[in-house]
Amino acid sequence: MTPQQIETAARRMMNASGSNFWSQAEIIEDYLYFAALEMAQETFCIENRYTTTSVASQQEYTAASRALAIKRVEYDSQKLMPIDFQKLDSIDLNTNTTVTGTPQYYYHFDGAIGLHPTPDTAGKTIKIYTYDEPDRPTSTSTLEIPTQFHGALVIGVAFWMAKKEI
């Protein structure tokens, strides 16, 4: 469904097809966005992959700003294992020096992906597989939420429309 089709279906559900109580922009840019954001957070239905290139002696790389969760990280086509700071500290006891080599682990913190050991080679591909939040839709957008969830988006939009009536 398109954003306009979802708006039309939600208006019909609310028996408000001709009503101007809600603007098209309000329904699509706000209510549809709220419903899509909740759908993405609850179901991780927006899958994406990002690539970046390694820099020698650089441990951290910017993660996608829309990422809700990291599914997988690969370095030079090799899967990296997730690691938390406690385990990382037990592997690397000396925090004053940087261990370099071929990364085997990754961590995600504060919008960054950190690799351990720190890459010693530049130019290798780092792939980051994520579950993302949606972009704010417009009337001409293509929705990122898979079509199997569009019926639930209609219900979500109608829910937010009903909240305005209270």
Side-chain angles (χ1 to χ4, degrees):
M1 298 176 83
T2 67
Q4 290 178 332
Q5 289 171 324
I6 289 175
E7 174 198 8
T8 299
R11 284 182 182 277
R12 287 180 184 155
M13 189 176 279
M14 296 290 296
N15 198 23
S17 292
S19 174
N20 59 3
F21 185 60
W22 304 274
S23 69
Q24 181 183 58
E26 178 181 14
I27 292 172
I28 293 174
E29 295 172 20
D30 293 334
Y31 302 154
L32 179 54
Y33 175 67
F34 298 160
L37 183 59
E38 183 175 4
M39 179 71 63
Q41 291 169 335
E42 294 293 325
T43 65
F44 287 150
C45 61
I46 301 175
E47 300 172 336
N48 222 328
R49 75 186 66 165
Y50 302 91
T51 59
T52 189
T53 304
S54 68
V55 176
S57 300
Q58 179 179 322
Q59 183 175 23
E60 291 191 342
Y61 299 83
T62 303
S65 60
R66 296 183 331 140
L68 293 170
I70 305 296
K71 173 69 176 168
R72 179 182 180 121
V73 176
E74 294 177 358
Y75 177 83
D76 196 25
S77 299
Q78 298 299 310
K79 180 184 175 191
L80 302 182
M81 300 299 296
I83 192 167
D84 61 29
F85 285 120
Q86 184 178 8
K87 289 178 185 169
L88 184 60
D89 290 344
S90 70
I91 292 172
D92 187 10
L93 297 174
N94 188 353
T95 58
N96 295 328
T97 61
T98 302
V99 177
T100 60
T102 301
Q104 297 176 359
Y105 303 99
Y106 77 91
Y107 62 84
H108 179 226
F109 185 75
D110 193 28
I113 301 290
L115 307 180
H116 182 79
T118 300
D120 60 359
T121 307
K124 300 288 186 178
T125 300
I126 301 168
K127 284 186 185 176
I128 305 167
Y129 297 80
T130 63
Y131 297 113
D132 288 356
E133 63 184 38
D135 280 329
R136 187 174 289 272
T138 65
S139 61
T140 59
S141 295
T142 300
L143 294 176
E144 298 167 288
I145 300 289
T147 56
Q148 73 233 37
F149 297 113
H150 287 191
L153 289 178
V154 172
I155 294 168
V157 169
F159 166 81
W160 287 105
M161 290 171 72
K163 297 283 279 179
K164 184 175 179 181
E165 289 188 320
I166 297 174

